């Protein structure tokens, strides 16, 4: 693979900003870093080598499909700093593949799998100092694929931009013991034939209002049901869901309306490794209410226990804490991610130190 | 109302561009004009006076909700040049109101009704020469409301941008006798509790793929069915639908999944004026297939007859041409818009000539 372009010099402002970061207090909010990766491609062509440029506003046509018609995809993955100061990324190939699927759905030109991974690596490398110290957070990486050319009608974009930026982050939810979810029986996140199965920007702004309403009633997030029957659980606003009963761990199937989470896939594998039976199948609300344990998985939330679920007037409490399977799975996953246990699965991709 | 800001000088390039426009050949494509209107507003504040600036790329944060989460609304309306050289806009207050509803749904700060109308007027005035000669097209005006601040999480935007640009356009569809529609019984455009009832950017990119597929099979557009039952017709990708049988004109109700079109509302009124009974109610596919006439309405398509509808293997042909009600309604509407008949409804808003 080509070595990263040598980053352009940046101002001493960045050093000051860096010196003032309180790693302990990072939530899931933007702390701008120094560089981003940008590549562009015209309709009918494919992406060639992009470049690392200083992080900052981009210039875009008012008539672009991303601004007018929501033609955009995003990804989210993380880089981790190990105790011995190596920097590693978790399964970037999976995010690359998901962007390919999304691009197909939205009629966009995606970067190749290698270009995606290389761009993520270059972005991390250029912002190396922003990967928090071990145990104090992670560097969240946000690849975007957006329709950036000018097109008045609803049509594929004349130009596509692939951009990668990053921000150090801490925890996604400010929770102690677990999430308090509200089952939404009125609104759906996705519908069959829609874009629920890909990471399209169009899946997110429609849930903001529902999320704010749920939060103002004291809930941490919403649990959506399927639009077709209204009987089965799908996922939360930004993570997948699992239920546990006895030796069986169940999670809704990825049949087009839920996002195929990379964490979901990894946690399923880890649960199987320790002897659980993992079932990908329709999970009804009734079953959810009778589960022993419920948890969410996602890059941002990692593995987070659900403490309560409220459905209409019914509120159910689940096992959380040390005895919970989710606690065990979370440790198994983060131990691999942070290099505390050996990665026997080939999930971690190291950023080559000599490139720095 | 405040007079328009005096436009900044622009280059002679524009004059050349203008001299070369072939009004007769305009389709629904972008012909960039000289100026656009831009206003910004921080979270928790409201929009103040924006300004007219040269048309061109805008600068935006890579971490903005419009680029990451599809937090954006658009509008579409037209300015017309009359034979006696007045320039008038069609019902801009209706688009302003629709943007207000949309902003509420997407948790955005909208411009006030007056600010919206004033911004549209200023944009038209600044681009006055781009309003095509009578009968040769119209100036399409595209207001955008986009989440432009930087926010990593899914949340309301820290800053919102209200932007208005314009482009002269001709016909939307390259059709002679009427549209050939395909009823999509697999994919839906909207679902209950979603954003189908507002002009959210998120409703559009998901249909591009379906539209391209339909077009490659020779269809002009897709007719979507409701997601709840799959039995009732909703609308096309960018216009509303009406069916005619005897003296009754029927169109699906605006109950959240279809866009409440300004043209739809106006055409309903005109049809009533000439003695038709207009019903806003669920219209089943069965009824559609038995209709005498079918037509679409929208700012871009105006009133366009549907020549055929294909549902599974069944293809039905409808009345079009001189004998069709849609032809009559189209003339009634465009006669008002172009100033051929007097506007007794107060629909046309004149751009003050002395502001020019
Ligand atoms: C809707 C939704 N579901 C699930 C996930 C989890 O996916 P992943 O584990 O790949 O982060 C995400 C993204 O983080 C998401 O946005
Ligand atoms: C989905 C959709 N339906 C209907 C319409 C028609 O609305 P209007 O008549 O206000 O242009 C539009 C916009 O043009 C639209 O995008």
């Amino acid at each position: 693979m080509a070595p990263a372009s040598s980053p352009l010099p940046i101002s001493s402002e960045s050093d000051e900003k860096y010196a003032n970061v309180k790693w302990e207090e990072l939530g899931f909010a933007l702390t701008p870093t120094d560089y981003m990766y940008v590549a562009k491609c015209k309709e009918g062509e494919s992406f060639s080598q992009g470049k690392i440029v200083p992080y900052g506003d981009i210039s875009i046509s008012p008539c672009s499909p991303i601004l007018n018609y929501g033609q955009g995809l995003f990804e989210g993955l993380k880089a981790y700093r190990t105790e011995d100061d190596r920097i590693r990324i978790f399964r970037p190939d999976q995010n690359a593949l998901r962007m390919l699927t999304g691009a197909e759905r939205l009629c966009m030109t995606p970067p190749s799998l290698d270009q995606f991974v290389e761009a993520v690596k270059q972005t991390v490398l250029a912002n190396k100092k922003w990967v928090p110290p071990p145990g104090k957070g992670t560097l969240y990486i946000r690849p975007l694929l957006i329709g950036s050319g000018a097109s008045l009608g609803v049509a594929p974009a004349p130009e596509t931009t692939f951009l990668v930026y990053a921000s150090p982050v801490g925890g996604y939810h400010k929770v102690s013991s677990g999430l308090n979810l509200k089952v939404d029986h009125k609104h759906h996140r996705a519908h069959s034939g829609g874009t629920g199965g890909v990471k399209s920007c169009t899946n997110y702004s429609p849930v903001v209002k529902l999320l704010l309403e749920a939060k103002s009633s004291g809930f941490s997030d919403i649990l959506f049901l399927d639009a077709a029957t209204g009987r089965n659980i799908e996922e939360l606003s930004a993570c997948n869901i699992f239920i546990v009963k006895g030796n069986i761990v169940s999670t809704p199937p990825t049949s087009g309306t839920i996002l195929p989470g990379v964490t979901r896939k990894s946690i399923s594998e880890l649960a199987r490794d320790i002897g659980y039976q993992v079932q990908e199948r329709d999970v009804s609300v009734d079953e959810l209410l009778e589960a022993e344990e419920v948890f969410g998985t996602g890059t941002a939330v990692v593995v987070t226990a659900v403490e309560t679920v409220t459905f209409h007037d019914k509120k159910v409490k689940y096992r959380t804490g040390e005895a919970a399977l989710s606690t065990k799975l979370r440790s198994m996953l983060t131990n691999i991610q942070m290099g505390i246990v050996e990665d026997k699965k080939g999930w971690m991709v190291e950023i080559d130190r000599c490139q720095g």
Side-chain angles (χ1 to χ4, degrees), chain A:
Chain A
M1 234 166 283
S5 356
S6 164
L8 308 172
I10 47 144
S11 73
S12 62
E13 244 180 77
S14 154
D15 287 339
E16 238 185 272
K17 218 172 54 179
Y18 181 79
N20 291 327
V21 169
K22 301 214 169 50
W23 300 112
E24 285 76 10
E25 292 169 17
L26 292 174
F28 195 80
L30 182 74
T31 298
T33 55
D34 301 326
Y35 299 101
M36 61 187 186
Y37 175 99
V38 182
K40 295 187 183 202
C41 144
K42 295 257 167 277
E43 196 178 359
E45 299 181 1
S46 44
F47 279 102
S48 53
Q49 182 78 16
K51 55 176 190 262
I52 290 288
V53 298
Y55 175 82
D57 288 359
I58 61 163
S59 181
I60 192 166
S61 168
C63 195
S64 55
I66 180 68
L67 299 186
N68 293 258
Y69 303 123
Q71 201 197 34
L73 295 163
F74 71 98
E75 272 302 332
L77 66 166
K78 284 177 173 174
Y80 307 78
R81 190 183 292 275
T82 60
E83 284 293 348
D84 59 351
D85 216 26
R86 286 172 301 143
I87 293 175
R88 304 187 308 167
I89 313 168
F90 184 67
R91 309 189 79 174
D93 57 312
Q94 297 295 312
N95 300 85
L97 284 170
R98 193 162 64 187
M99 183 168 273
L100 281 180
T101 317
E104 212 270 318
R105 179 62 185 82
L106 294 192
C107 299
M108 303 182 76
T109 306
S112 72
L113 205 148
D114 282 350
Q115 280 168 335
F116 181 99
V117 174
E118 181 59 21
V120 166
K121 282 181 163 184
Q122 287 191 22
T123 308
V124 174
L125 194 60
N127 295 302
K128 212 164 69 172
K129 71 174 184 194
W130 292 101
V131 183
K136 298 204 168 157
T138 52
L139 185 72
Y140 180 79
I141 308 152
R142 172 62 60 90
L144 291 181
L145 190 70
I146 57 180
S148 54
S151 166
L152 193 61
V154 178
E159 181 199 79
T160 306
T161 298
F162 173 48
L163 189 155
V164 187
Y165 66 93
S167 169
V169 298
Y172 189 73
H173 286 286
K174 289 194 180 62
V175 284
S176 37
S177 40
L179 304 176
N180 295 298
L181 303 183
K182 179 192 164 180
V183 178
D184 194 326
H185 49 90
K186 277 203 224 126
H187 308 90
H188 303 282
R189 184 187 163 275
H191 56 97
S192 121
T195 54
V198 299
K199 218 163 160 67
S200 166
C201 67
T202 59
N203 301 333
Y204 295 84
S205 74
V207 308
V208 171
K209 189 179 161 77
L210 319 175
L211 213 49
L212 290 184
E213 283 166 5
K215 286 189 177 170
S216 78
S217 307
F219 294 104
S220 340
D221 205 340
I222 290 170
L223 172 52
F224 290 99
L225 302 180
D226 75 302
T229 73
R231 273 200 299 268
N232 299 319
I233 62 174
E234 293 214 310
E235 59 179 331
L236 315 197
S237 66
C239 74
N240 294 113
I241 190 164
F242 285 79
I243 69 165
V244 185
K245 186 145 190 182
N247 193 42
I248 300 177
V249 177
S250 310
T251 192
T254 52
S255 43
T257 52
I258 70 161
L259 195 76
V262 180
T263 321
R264 173 184 175 280
K265 188 174 176 181
S266 311
I267 285 296
S268 295
E269 196 172 325
L270 293 175
R272 281 194 188 101
D273 287 353
I274 55 169
Y276 282 83
Q277 200 184 313
V278 178
Q279 302 183 345
E280 300 202 15
R281 57 172 179 89
D282 286 343
V283 176
S284 69
V285 177
D286 292 343
E287 258 192 280
L288 166 78
L289 299 176
E290 283 160 17
E292 290 156 12
E293 198 182 315
V294 177
F295 59 88
T297 64
T299 298
V301 303
V302 194
V303 178
T304 302
V306 172
E307 189 172 13
T308 68
V309 162
T310 302
F311 179 59
H312 292 287
D313 293 340
K314 195 166 177 178
K315 185 170 182 172
V316 177
K317 212 171 179 310
Y318 302 98
R319 180 174 64 214
T320 59
E322 286 312 309
L325 173 62
S326 65
T327 307
K328 181 167 182 70
L329 291 171
R330 184 184 174 108
S331 306
M332 287 175 72
L333 180 63
T334 53
N335 282 347
I336 295 173
Q337 288 170 334
M338 310 201 304
I340 295 170
V341 305
E342 193 191 340
D343 167 27
K344 292 190 181 140
K345 307 211 174 258
W347 285 347
M348 306 308 296
V349 173
E350 191 142 352
I351 301 293
D352 194 355
R353 274 195 279 187
C354 53
Q355 287 183 339

